[in-house]
Amino acid sequence: MNYLVLDASTLISLAESCLFYILRDLKEKKGIQPVIAKAVKDESVSKPIGIKRFELSAVRVRHAIENGIIEVANLSSEFKAFCSEIEKKANSIFYSKHGNITLLHAGELESIALLKQLNASVFAVDERNTIMLFENPLRLRWLIEKRHHSKIFYNKDVLRDFRQLLPKATLVRSSELVAFAFDNGFVEEELGTGKKALEGALYSLKFMGCAISMKEISNYVKDHK
Amino acid sequence: MQDNALLKAIDSLKESFAKENALDLRLLSNELIKKAALENSHELASIALVAYSLHKVMNKEHHIRSPKWKTRKKAILSCIEKAHNALKKNDSKAFHKSINSIAFELQRMDRFFGRYVQSIFDKARVKCAADAYFFGLSLSQAADLTHTDRKAVQEYIGFTRSQDKNEIIEGIGKRLNAFKKAIGEVK
């Protein structure tokens, strides 16, 4: 079984853009099991279900959990400890003259710990800063420095330790999941197969907050066969 | 909690609001949320929210031309003064109570005049959280800083151009291939 650990950002992008059903198809047709941490369930169901504006998408996610399309996994005590360790490292990599910069929160941290617990090969996360912390932390530091117009320091040893702790997983966004679904015909019944369908789907994810640029979408759609 | 930066922030807030200077309030909010993101300071974030909300109020004619405006302004200034005193005494509970009182005043104004379902203060929470994200925090961390819903922040960010700055290096094609390899569809 291939586990696909989902961050709340990916769940939100898919649920809000009516492409949520691809998770069911990924599970039933490709044997990929979407799984979320408890903190992610809180962020995508428990908290927003009380807000009228987000009630429908929260219900959608809850329904998927109740039907087994998405599994909610609890961290074992070993991985709760791992989660605390990752938190200490992640939130002390960068610092300014005012002290450490707290970058990550419970949802992201539990998802990272869950990746390790399940030995999952794929982590779906839509938000830019978490992706950058995984893939290019020094670029994230550059970005923070640029935005703050002040020097941001980093602790080499902490960064090294953090990178060693990070599970080796492929990072994807909802855009890649939808592109995969598109190529496998999962969205054909609802959207057809043309480039407009693909483009429309990708833009809907972008406008729901997926970290993808217009240029990326345009290049991908242009080259898509 | 007493901190010269916090006291200075609340003094600036009081002064700008008393003078009804919308631009100063907006600039103050920008500066404070930037600091709040860097220092993970919920107190600074709260003051940023109030500054932003009040700048929005200043830009709405129907609020400031209302016969109730003077009374409302006086009430808000009184809450700001209470927040100031709470900071001086290191009383975190009283500080947050004062901020909540300001939010309540703004909600009262919204209920009477407002055209939108979402209140000025709630919109400020989302906007300031989006700014905190822009300054490098994760979505959850940014939403937590201003006590707002993560979904609202993510949706807000989706409509900005911040994702178009090409800061994520690998595009859809490469990631898709990596995904197929990870799930065993491609060797």
Side-chain angles (χ1 to χ4, degrees):
Chain A
M1 171 70 75
N2 272 314
Y3 284 112
L4 166 66
V5 174
L6 296 160
D7 178 65
S9 54
T10 307
L11 270 185
I12 289 166
S13 301
L14 290 171
E16 293 283 333
S17 53
C18 304
L19 293 162
F20 198 67
Y21 59 88
I22 69 163
L23 292 177
R24 182 201 61 220
D25 289 334
L26 284 173
K27 176 175 167 143
E28 290 172 1
K29 295 175 183 171
K30 293 287 178 180
I32 298 167
Q33 175 62 60
V35 64
I36 60 175
K38 191 182 168 300
V40 171
K41 184 190 171 188
D42 291 342
E43 281 181 324
S44 45
V45 179
S46 320
K47 285 180 195 164
I49 208 158
I51 302 169
K52 301 285 175 231
R53 196 166 137 213
F54 301 122
E55 198 174 348
L56 178 62
S57 57
V59 165
R60 212 172 249 152
V61 178
R62 188 181 66 181
H63 188 65
I65 293 169
E66 285 164 359
N67 286 349
I69 293 165
I70 298 175
E71 269 181 27
V72 180
N74 289 316
L75 290 177
S76 66
S77 42
E78 181 193 344
F79 286 97
K80 275 183 187 161
F82 175 76
C83 190
S84 300
E85 208 185 335
I86 280 263
E87 181 183 12
K88 263 189 229 129
K89 298 286 180 198
N91 291 332
S92 53
I93 297 172
F94 303 127
Y95 60 97
S96 69
K97 59 185 181 185
H98 302 285
N100 287 337
I101 301 173
T102 305
L103 293 173
L104 296 183
H105 198 253
E108 293 101 15
L109 291 161
E110 281 194 29
S111 298
I112 295 169
L114 190 61
L115 268 176
K116 191 122 182 166
Q117 177 172 301
L118 298 175
N119 201 21
S121 50
V122 188
F123 182 29
V125 52
D126 272 21
E127 64 107 344
R128 179 202 62 201
N129 296 339
T130 304
I131 296 173
M132 286 179 83
L133 193 60
F134 257 78
E135 295 183 342
N136 200 342
L138 293 182
R139 188 157 175 92
L140 178 60
R141 172 202 170 203
W142 170 85
L143 178 82
I144 297 171
E145 244 181 14
K146 194 175 99 165
R147 299 269 163 87
H148 282 276
H149 304 292
S150 67
K151 191 86 190 133
I152 302 295
F153 307 96
Y154 79 99
N155 188 317
K156 250 190 201 169
D157 294 334
V158 173
L159 177 58
R160 183 204 59 222
D161 293 345
F162 174 73
R163 294 194 93 161
Q164 281 171 359
L165 282 175
L166 274 185
K168 303 278 177 277
T170 298
L171 255 66
V172 297
R173 299 162 294 184
S174 58
S175 45
E176 283 77 55
L177 297 179
V178 164
F180 182 78
F182 192 87
D183 289 348
N184 283 273
F186 299 163
V187 304
E188 193 173 329
E189 198 179 317
E190 186 172 340
L191 300 177
T193 53
K195 284 197 181 196
K196 273 289 179 191
L198 176 61
E199 185 186 62
L202 293 174
Y203 267 109
S204 77
L205 296 171
K206 176 187 167 48
F207 289 123
M208 279 325 304
C210 177
I212 183 169
S213 67
M214 292 196 198
K215 191 176 171 187
E216 252 194 277
I217 294 174
S218 141
N219 286 344
Y220 182 72
V221 171
K222 188 178 69 169
D223 296 337
H224 194 264
K225 291 182 177 54
Chain B
M1 191 182 79
Q2 191 204 72
D3 183 310
N4 283 337
L6 280 173
L7 285 168
K8 196 176 164 202
I10 205 121
D11 285 342
S12 299
L13 173 71
K14 192 166 82 175
E15 190 184 330
S16 301
F17 182 55
K19 289 180 184 167
E20 296 188 14
N21 191 327
L23 179 62
D24 274 0
L25 284 166
R26 178 65 186 259
L27 294 174
L28 178 66
S29 172
N30 291 348
E31 206 45 50
L32 291 178
I33 197 65
K34 202 169 163 180
K35 270 196 101 181
L38 207 55
E39 299 173 32
N40 194 30
S41 166
H42 286 84
E43 287 83 12
L44 278 175
S46 295
I47 302 170
L49 290 178
V50 171
Y52 184 83
S53 303
L54 293 177
H55 126 267
K56 281 302 230 182
V57 165
M58 307 268 76
N59 284 320
K60 293 184 194 302
E61 196 181 348
H62 54 270
H63 279 304
I64 59 175
R65 286 199 193 281
S66 152
K68 291 195 189 266
W69 171 242
K70 272 200 174 123
T71 317
R72 294 261 141 86
K73 181 178 171 181
K74 202 175 166 189
I76 292 172
L77 278 170
S78 166
C79 294
I80 294 174
E81 189 60 39
K82 283 182 186 160
H84 178 269
N85 294 337
L87 281 176
K88 275 189 125 170
K89 290 180 194 161
N90 260 326
D91 189 343
S92 175
K93 207 172 164 186
F95 172 78
H96 288 292
K97 190 177 173 188
S98 306
I99 297 295
N100 287 341
S101 301
I102 297 172
F104 179 71
E105 280 300 324
L106 289 166
Q107 271 164 9
R108 276 215 303 185
M109 287 162 73
D110 263 336
R111 231 177 286 138
F112 196 72
F113 292 115
R115 292 170 190 165
Y116 299 97
V117 172
Q118 198 182 22
S119 75
I120 285 177
F121 204 71
D122 287 337
K123 280 187 198 166
R125 288 189 196 278
V126 175
K127 164 71 173 72
C128 289
D131 286 346
Y133 174 79
F134 181 75
F135 289 128
L137 302 191
S138 73
L139 258 173
S140 295
Q141 188 59 24
D144 180 66
L145 191 65
T146 66
H147 302 294
T148 190
D149 185 77
R150 190 207 156 117
K151 272 194 187 185
V153 185
Q154 185 168 325
E155 192 182 60
Y156 183 98
I157 285 161
F159 284 97
T160 67
R161 298 187 63 190
S162 69
Q163 316 279 32
D164 288 302
K165 311 263 184 194
N166 287 327
E167 280 139 359
I168 305 257
I169 295 150
E170 291 200 350
I172 304 176
K174 271 195 174 162
R175 281 189 196 276
L176 182 58
N177 287 338
F179 175 64
K180 287 178 186 172
K181 207 174 168 186
I183 60 169
E185 290 236 331
V186 151
K187 295 285 177 240

